[in-house]
Amino acid sequence: MTVVLFDMDGVILEGPRTDPQVYADAADTALAELDVDPTPRQRRDFRDHAHERIRTHCDDLGIDPARFWELKEHYASGGTHDRLRSGERGTYDDIDAIREVGERTPIGLVTNNRQETAEFVAEYAGFDFDVVRGRDPTFEGYERRKPDPYYIEDALADLGAAEGIYVGDSPKDITAGRAAGLETAFLRRPHNRKRSVNATHDLESLTEILSLVESSDSP
Ligand SMILES: [Mg+2]
């Protein structure tokens, strides 16, 4: 059985990553909810992702770092979902191929993005993924992002699968997919045209995955 696991940002959602403004707004909302008033410099760090600085500032302000992080992740998900609903951020026009792949073999969504957003996108796009795995809203969860194969391996365990293809738009997807023992497919998008990667497959469109599933299942 060949399962096909898909990355999300830059594969389904247009653009390679979440807009930094989403995290800035999320941090501000979390800080307001926790009722603290950081210095401008502290706020700048809270809007970014550097754990050590965030932990230090949380200690200085007397708030729980884990709680701040969880809130920030939650509000970042809300901001991302708003942008999708409003059409500010779109999806690529070839994503229906994912549905067709799913009619032939188990499919999964495995992303560095937040679990809450991964679940939203699966629902929003209307795909019947057999597994959806994004990062957990903890410091530890953040550290397990690709190129660490952790979430890919977790999804494979969930599917009871050992073989398959990981489809992504970034070199770290290829590193993580290979580390998890999968074939890899590098998907060309406007933002990664010139990237040189050593993937098993180099794709111009998600529609090309259909033939990969056919060829890998034939004797
Ligand atoms: Mg990506």
Side-chain angles (χ1 to χ4, degrees), residues 7-11 16 146 168-170 173:
D7 174 38
M8 188 176 78
D9 292 82
V11 170
K146 297 167 290 184
D169 67 310
S170 157
D173 297 323

